[in-house]
C-alpha cells in the first residue's frame, strides 16, 4: 500500500502497467495524443509487484493493469478513462499535466 | 449441297466442310460440362483433321489454277475463302478449348479450397455437417456451445431489431408524445447494449470468432474494426442524417467524433503492438527445428489480451451511442437509431446482392 501511494501520489499522471500489457500501451498512446507524458510503472518488473497488484485489486480495479492515477487520485482502468474521454471529462482533468513540445 | 463439276474440288470441299460440322458438335459438348474428356478427344481429332485438310489443300491448290482457267478461278477463290474460314474457325476452337480447360482448372482449385475450409470448419465445430458427408468424414457432431448459442441469439436479435425499426418508423410518423418516444428510443439503445453483452460472452469462448465477424454479412465485415463498426464512422453516417442540429450540438458532436478517433487510434496501436508481441513470441528461437510447443504456448498466453481489446472496442461503441443520446433530443435520437438500423440493412442487402450478382468466369 505504501509503495503504491508513494508512486501514485506525485503531481503526475501515473499508469501502473505490465511490460507485456498491450492495453496499457494503448492508454499511454492516448495520453501522448492528448499531450500528456505519463509516468509508467511496470509492476511485473517491481520486486514488490505482487503487493501493488493486490492493493490495486482491493481498490476496486477488476484487472490490476492498467490502473491510472491523476494527481494522486485513482481514475480507474481503461473503461473509466475511455468513458471520461468520450464524455469530455478527461481533457479538463489532464490540463494541468499537458506538455506540448 | 451443290458442288462445282470439276473433279478435284468436290473432294476437297467435301473434306473441308466436314470439320466445320464437327466443330459444331464440339460446341455442343462444351455446353455440357459432364464429358470434358470426350470433347477433348473430339477437339484433337478436329484440329488434326483441319491441319491435314489445310495442308493437303494447299499442296493441291496450284494444280487446278494452272489447268483450269476462268472456270476454276471462281471456285478457287471460294476454296481459298473457305479454307481461310476453316483456319479461323479452328483457331477460335482452339482458343475456346483453352479457355474451357482453364475454367475447369480454376473450378477444381476452388473446389479443393472449399473442401479444405469445410473440413476446418467442421473440426472447429462451427456447424454440424449435413447428412452423408458428416458420417463419411467421421465428424462427431459436437458444436462449440458458446458459438452455437450466440448464433441462435443473434438471429433472434436481428428479428427484434427489424421489428424495433418498424416501431421507430411508425412512432416518428405518428404524433406521439416525447415521453412515449423516449421509451422507444431507450428500447433501441438497450437492444444494442444487449448485443455487446452477447459478444462479450462469446468472446470469452472464442475471440477469433468475434474478430472474424463470421456472424455478420460480408459487406459489414468489410467495414469491421476490432469485431464491429468503427464509432467515428458511425458518427459520420449519423450526423449527415440529423440536420438541423443546433450550434451547441454541432460543437459537442465534433468533440465526440474527435475523442472517438483518438480512442480508436490508441486501441489500434495497442492491437498492432499485440500482433508484434505474438509474432515475436511465436518466432522466438530457431524456426525449422521442428519442436516449438513452448513458443506456441507462450504466444497463446499473449493472445488472451485480444479479448480485452474486443471488449474495449465494444465499450467504445456503447459509450458513443450513450453520448449521442445525451447530445440529441428524443426525436433526433429516434431518427438516429432508425438511420443507423437502416444503414446496416443496406449493408446486408449489399452483401446479398454481391453474392448473387453474376460474374464473368475467370
Amino acid at each position: 500500500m505504501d509503495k503504491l501511494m508513494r508512486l501514485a501520489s506525485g503531481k503526475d499522471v501515473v499508469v501502473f502497467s505490465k511490460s507485456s500489457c498491450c492495453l496499457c500501451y494503448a492508454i499511454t498512446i492516448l495520453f501522448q495524443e492528448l499531450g500528456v507524458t505519463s509516468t509508467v510503472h511496470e509492476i511485473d518488473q517491481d520486486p514488490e509487484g505482487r503487493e501493488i497488484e493486490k492493493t490495486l485489486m482491493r481498490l476496486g480495479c477488476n484487472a490490476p493493469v492498467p490502473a491510472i492515477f491523476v494527481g494522486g487520485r485513482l481514475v480507474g482502468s481503461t473503461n473509466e478513462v475511455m468513458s471520461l474521454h468520450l464524455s469530455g471529462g478527461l481533457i479538463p482533468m489532464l490540463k494541468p499535466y499537458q506538455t506540448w513540445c | 449441297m451443290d458442288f462445282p463439276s470439276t473433279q478435284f474440288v468436290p473432294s476437297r470441299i467435301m473434306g473441308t466442310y466436314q470439320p466445320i460440322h464437327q466443330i459444331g458438335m464440339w460446341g455442343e459438348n462444351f455446353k455440357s460440362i459432364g464429358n470434358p474428356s470426350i470433347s477433348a478427344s473430339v477437339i484433337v481429332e478436329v484440329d488434326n483433321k483441319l491441319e491435314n485438310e489445310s495442308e493437303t489443300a494447299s499442296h493441291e491448290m496450284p494444280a487446278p489454277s494452272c489447268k483450269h482457267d476462268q472456270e476454276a478461278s471462281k471456285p478457287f477463290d471460294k476454296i481459298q475463302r473457305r479454307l481461310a474460314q476453316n483456319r479461323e474457325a479452328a483457331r477460335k476452337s482452339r482458343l475456346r478449348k483453352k479457355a474451357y480447360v482453364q475454367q475447369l482448372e480454376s473450378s477444381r482449385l476452388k473446389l479443393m479450397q472449399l473442401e479444405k475450409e469445410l473440413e476446418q470448419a467442421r473440426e472447429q465445430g462451427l456447424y454440424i455437417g449435413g447428412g452423408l458427408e458428416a458420417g463419411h468424414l467421421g465428424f462427431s457432431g459436437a458444436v462449440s456451445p458458446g458459438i452455437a448459442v450466440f448464433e441462435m441469439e443473434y438471429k433472434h436479435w436481428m428479428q427484434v431489431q427489424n421489428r424495433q425499426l418498424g416501431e421507430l418508423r411508425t412512432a416518428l410518423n405518428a404524433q406521439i408524445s416525447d415521453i412515449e418516444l423516449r421509451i422507444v428510443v431507450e428500447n433501441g439503445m438497450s437492444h444494442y447494449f444487449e448485443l455487446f453483452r452477447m459478444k462479450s460472452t462469446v468472446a470469452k469462448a472464442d475471440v477469433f470468432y468475434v474478430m472474424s465477424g463470421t456472424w455478420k454479412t460480408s459487406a459489414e465485415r468489410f467495414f469491421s474494426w476490432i469485431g464491429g463498426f468503427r464509432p467515428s464512422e458511425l458518427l459520420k453516417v449519423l450526423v449527415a442524417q440529423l440536420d438541423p442540429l443546433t450550434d451547441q450540438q454541432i460543437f459537442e458532436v465534433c468533440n465526440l467524433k474527435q475523442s472517438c478517433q483518438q480512442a480508436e487510434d490508441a486501441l489500434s496501436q495497442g492491437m498492432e503492438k499485440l500482433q508484434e508481441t505474438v509474432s515475436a513470441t511465436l518466432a522466438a528461437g530457431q524456426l525449422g527445428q521442428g519442436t516449438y510447443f513452448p513458443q506456441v504456448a507462450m504466444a497463446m498466453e499473449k493472445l488472451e489480451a485480444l479479448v480485452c481489446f474486443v471488449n474495449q472496442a465494444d465499450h467504445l461503441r456503447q459509450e458513443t451511442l450513450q453520448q449521442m443520446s445525451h447530445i440529441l433530443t428524443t426525436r433526433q435520437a429516434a431518427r438516429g437509431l432508425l438511420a443507423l438500423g437502416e444503414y446496416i440493412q443496406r449493408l446486408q442487402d449489399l452483401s446479398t446482392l454481391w453474392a448473387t450478382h453474376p460474374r464473368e468466369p475467370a
Side-chain angles (χ1 to χ4, degrees), chain B residues 150 195-205 210 307 310-311 314:
Chain B
F150 177 81
L195 179 62
F196 300 138
R197 266 196 299 277
M198 282 160 53
K199 282 170 72 182
S200 172
T201 308
V202 77
K204 289 195 199 91
V210 177
V307 180
V310 170
N311 285 340
D314 274 348

Side-chain angles (χ1 to χ4, degrees), chain A residues 22 26 33-34 79 83 85 87, chain B residues 262 265-266 312 315 319 323:
Chain A
C22 297
E33 262 189 71
L34 302 179
N79 269 7
S83 302
H85 191 39
S87 65
Chain B
Q262 286 163 339
D265 236 354
Q312 274 311 308
H315 178 252
E319 285 299 303
Q323 286 304 315

Side-chain angles (χ1 to χ4, degrees), chain B residues 149-164:
Chain B
V149 165
F150 177 81
E151 297 208 322
M152 233 170 47
E153 289 183 343
Y154 183 67
K155 221 174 173 172
H156 180 248
W157 189 91
M158 276 309 306
Q159 288 166 351
V160 173
Q161 172 78 347
N162 290 333
R163 185 171 39 84
Q164 284 187 346

